[in-house]
Amino acid sequence: MNAHEKGYFTEENSVEVVTGRNAGARDERLKQVMEVVTRKLHEAVKELEPTQDEWMQAILFLTRTGQMCNEWRQEFILLSDVLGVSMLVDAINNRKPSGASESTVLGPFHVANAPELPMGANICLDAKGEDMVIEGRILDTEGKPIADAVIDVWQANDEGFYDVQQKGIQPDFNLRGIFRTGPDGRYWFRAVKPKYYPIPDDGPVGRLLGSLGRHPYRPAHLHYIISADGFETLTTHIFDPDDPYIHSDAVFGVKESLLAKFDKVHDPNRAEAYDFAGDFWDVTHDFVLARNMRT
Ligand code: BEZ
Ligand code: FE
């Protein structure tokens, strides 16, 4: 028996026997990961004492999750999302200095190479939905404006669908755009009020949520990736605080600091200036970027 062999496998020594077998791992981090995962997994199995049938159900659930994955659909990421693991990994990797805007999940609907648009452009290309103007500043943690910040924004439409979910129904790049701040750090653009929507729920993760008595909805939000030289890139959202799902986001992405102010405005002069037909929503939100300590 090699020095690392801990003898024959028993219920009591299961963790030591399995992890001991990895003593010669070439990658220390992999060894550590497998040790923790094995320990926690064996602990769960010992606590739950699954029947053979139950264990098979778990295996088949993971099998179906894998089979659901393709170029467009990543069911394992959805699983990680609804378990709160995506948000936990995000939190661990985005501990921000005080005053900096908080991050949240990227989600599956970001599209690279959205068009760069002049400040003030309307990203709604099909004129459907309630008009909205979004404005604010990109600041550093001392409150100074950041020039040349790049704001990549995307959102669902007023029915809760992204353009990529409705190819041929919505125009390509509907409700997406890239904006660049000037010396005052200000940004503004026009859009429509987004609506809550379900995460893709026609697969094993959606069925799991159903069995757990959970709904699949995310409260209405706008996504942002904001980058600027010398600063950490911020991947975040802003949320409508009055959304019916604001306290029960299926993927746990809501943070108090990401609740924006959505005001309904009746002001014919402003509406005309924005080229809106009538009342509109006004959303104001500043973002604060943390300085990049690695540069
Ligand atoms: C989204 O907000 O786009 C999203 C995030 C996680 C899962 C599904 C969708
Ligand atoms: Fe989203």
mmCIF file of all heavy atoms in Angstrom, residues 3 12 41 43 85 111 124 141 191 197 224 238-239 265 284:
data_model
loop_
_atom_site.group_PDB
_atom_site.id
_atom_site.type_symbol
_atom_site.label_atom_id
_atom_site.label_comp_id
_atom_site.label_asym_id
_atom_site.label_seq_id
_atom_site.Cartn_x
_atom_site.Cartn_y
_atom_site.Cartn_z
ATOM 1 N N ALA A 3 2.007 5.162 0.793
ATOM 2 C CA ALA A 3 1.866 5.897 2.062
ATOM 3 C C ALA A 3 0.536 6.645 2.145
ATOM 4 O O ALA A 3 -0.055 6.768 3.203
ATOM 5 C CB ALA A 3 3.013 6.881 2.208
ATOM 6 N N GLU A 12 -17.263 5.131 7.596
ATOM 7 C CA GLU A 12 -16.667 6.089 8.538
ATOM 8 C C GLU A 12 -15.477 6.835 7.921
ATOM 9 O O GLU A 12 -15.327 8.041 8.121
ATOM 10 C CB GLU A 12 -16.199 5.381 9.818
ATOM 11 C CG GLU A 12 -17.323 4.870 10.707
ATOM 12 C CD GLU A 12 -18.081 3.680 10.097
ATOM 13 O OE1 GLU A 12 -17.446 2.884 9.340
ATOM 14 O OE2 GLU A 12 -19.286 3.571 10.313
ATOM 15 N N LEU A 41 -19.477 16.794 -0.013
ATOM 16 C CA LEU A 41 -20.408 15.879 -0.690
ATOM 17 C C LEU A 41 -20.673 14.646 0.167
ATOM 18 O O LEU A 41 -21.823 14.223 0.347
ATOM 19 C CB LEU A 41 -19.825 15.497 -2.052
ATOM 20 C CG LEU A 41 -20.715 14.731 -3.019
ATOM 21 C CD1 LEU A 41 -22.014 15.498 -3.300
ATOM 22 C CD2 LEU A 41 -19.968 14.517 -4.343
ATOM 23 N N GLU A 43 -20.369 14.508 3.326
ATOM 24 C CA GLU A 43 -21.128 14.977 4.489
ATOM 25 C C GLU A 43 -22.624 15.039 4.149
ATOM 26 O O GLU A 43 -23.476 14.593 4.928
ATOM 27 C CB GLU A 43 -20.608 16.360 4.878
ATOM 28 C CG GLU A 43 -21.106 16.886 6.203
ATOM 29 C CD GLU A 43 -20.593 18.324 6.420
ATOM 30 O OE1 GLU A 43 -19.376 18.570 6.222
ATOM 31 O OE2 GLU A 43 -21.415 19.180 6.757
ATOM 32 N N VAL A 85 -25.266 30.321 -6.116
ATOM 33 C CA VAL A 85 -23.800 30.162 -6.188
ATOM 34 C C VAL A 85 -23.192 31.226 -7.104
ATOM 35 O O VAL A 85 -22.127 31.773 -6.809
ATOM 36 C CB VAL A 85 -23.424 28.732 -6.640
ATOM 37 C CG1 VAL A 85 -21.920 28.591 -6.805
ATOM 38 C CG2 VAL A 85 -23.932 27.714 -5.621
ATOM 39 N N VAL A 111 -24.621 40.614 -25.435
ATOM 40 C CA VAL A 111 -24.149 40.388 -26.799
ATOM 41 C C VAL A 111 -22.954 41.300 -27.016
ATOM 42 O O VAL A 111 -23.048 42.510 -26.762
ATOM 43 C CB VAL A 111 -25.271 40.730 -27.818
ATOM 44 C CG1 VAL A 111 -24.735 40.761 -29.236
ATOM 45 C CG2 VAL A 111 -26.423 39.738 -27.702
ATOM 46 N N CYS A 124 -34.454 51.763 -28.014
ATOM 47 C CA CYS A 124 -35.651 50.999 -28.410
ATOM 48 C C CYS A 124 -35.873 51.215 -29.903
ATOM 49 O O CYS A 124 -36.153 52.332 -30.337
ATOM 50 C CB CYS A 124 -36.857 51.458 -27.601
ATOM 51 S SG CYS A 124 -38.343 50.598 -28.133
ATOM 52 N N THR A 141 -14.544 57.031 -6.625
ATOM 53 C CA THR A 141 -15.008 56.967 -5.227
ATOM 54 C C THR A 141 -14.840 58.304 -4.488
ATOM 55 O O THR A 141 -15.350 58.472 -3.397
ATOM 56 C CB THR A 141 -14.268 55.850 -4.440
ATOM 57 O OG1 THR A 141 -12.878 55.998 -4.680
ATOM 58 C CG2 THR A 141 -14.736 54.478 -4.839
ATOM 59 N N ALA A 191 -35.053 54.769 -23.731
ATOM 60 C CA ALA A 191 -35.368 53.345 -23.855
ATOM 61 C C ALA A 191 -36.857 53.169 -23.548
ATOM 62 O O ALA A 191 -37.626 54.136 -23.657
ATOM 63 C CB ALA A 191 -34.495 52.545 -22.883
ATOM 64 N N TYR A 197 -39.336 39.114 -16.088
ATOM 65 C CA TYR A 197 -39.401 37.984 -17.031
ATOM 66 C C TYR A 197 -38.910 36.722 -16.333
ATOM 67 O O TYR A 197 -38.164 36.803 -15.340
ATOM 68 C CB TYR A 197 -38.580 38.263 -18.299
ATOM 69 C CG TYR A 197 -37.098 38.426 -18.046
ATOM 70 C CD1 TYR A 197 -36.253 37.331 -17.941
ATOM 71 C CD2 TYR A 197 -36.540 39.689 -17.892
ATOM 72 C CE1 TYR A 197 -34.903 37.477 -17.704
ATOM 73 C CE2 TYR A 197 -35.192 39.855 -17.648
ATOM 74 C CZ TYR A 197 -34.381 38.733 -17.560
ATOM 75 O OH TYR A 197 -33.049 38.882 -17.303
ATOM 76 N N TYR A 224 -25.793 46.521 -17.052
ATOM 77 C CA TYR A 224 -24.690 47.406 -17.438
ATOM 78 C C TYR A 224 -23.350 46.694 -17.289
ATOM 79 O O TYR A 224 -23.145 45.968 -16.303
ATOM 80 C CB TYR A 224 -24.602 48.622 -16.504
ATOM 81 C CG TYR A 224 -25.730 49.596 -16.598
ATOM 82 C CD1 TYR A 224 -26.894 49.403 -15.881
ATOM 83 C CD2 TYR A 224 -25.612 50.741 -17.390
ATOM 84 C CE1 TYR A 224 -27.935 50.320 -15.950
ATOM 85 C CE2 TYR A 224 -26.649 51.660 -17.459
ATOM 86 C CZ TYR A 224 -27.809 51.439 -16.747
ATOM 87 O OH TYR A 224 -28.829 52.345 -16.817
ATOM 88 N N ILE A 238 -29.501 47.889 -12.724
ATOM 89 C CA ILE A 238 -30.364 48.678 -11.839
ATOM 90 C C ILE A 238 -31.756 48.063 -11.927
ATOM 91 O O ILE A 238 -32.152 47.511 -12.966
ATOM 92 C CB ILE A 238 -30.398 50.188 -12.173
ATOM 93 C CG1 ILE A 238 -30.809 50.437 -13.617
ATOM 94 C CG2 ILE A 238 -29.073 50.835 -11.853
ATOM 95 C CD1 ILE A 238 -31.077 51.924 -13.907
ATOM 96 N N PHE A 239 -32.469 48.113 -10.803
ATOM 97 C CA PHE A 239 -33.775 47.455 -10.696
ATOM 98 C C PHE A 239 -34.874 48.474 -10.447
ATOM 99 O O PHE A 239 -34.647 49.519 -9.814
ATOM 100 C CB PHE A 239 -33.774 46.492 -9.501
ATOM 101 C CG PHE A 239 -32.910 45.283 -9.684
ATOM 102 C CD1 PHE A 239 -31.592 45.292 -9.253
ATOM 103 C CD2 PHE A 239 -33.416 44.129 -10.274
ATOM 104 C CE1 PHE A 239 -30.785 44.170 -9.410
ATOM 105 C CE2 PHE A 239 -32.619 43.012 -10.427
ATOM 106 C CZ PHE A 239 -31.302 43.030 -9.991
ATOM 107 N N VAL A 265 -43.327 60.748 -15.287
ATOM 108 C CA VAL A 265 -43.281 62.195 -15.505
ATOM 109 C C VAL A 265 -44.379 62.627 -16.476
ATOM 110 O O VAL A 265 -44.541 62.042 -17.550
ATOM 111 C CB VAL A 265 -41.896 62.611 -16.079
ATOM 112 C CG1 VAL A 265 -41.863 64.105 -16.384
ATOM 113 C CG2 VAL A 265 -40.778 62.243 -15.119
ATOM 114 N N THR A 284 -32.949 57.955 -12.730
ATOM 115 C CA THR A 284 -31.653 58.598 -12.491
ATOM 116 C C THR A 284 -30.815 57.664 -11.632
ATOM 117 O O THR A 284 -31.297 57.192 -10.592
ATOM 118 C CB THR A 284 -31.850 59.939 -11.744
ATOM 119 O OG1 THR A 284 -32.793 60.715 -12.481
ATOM 120 C CG2 THR A 284 -30.549 60.695 -11.612
#
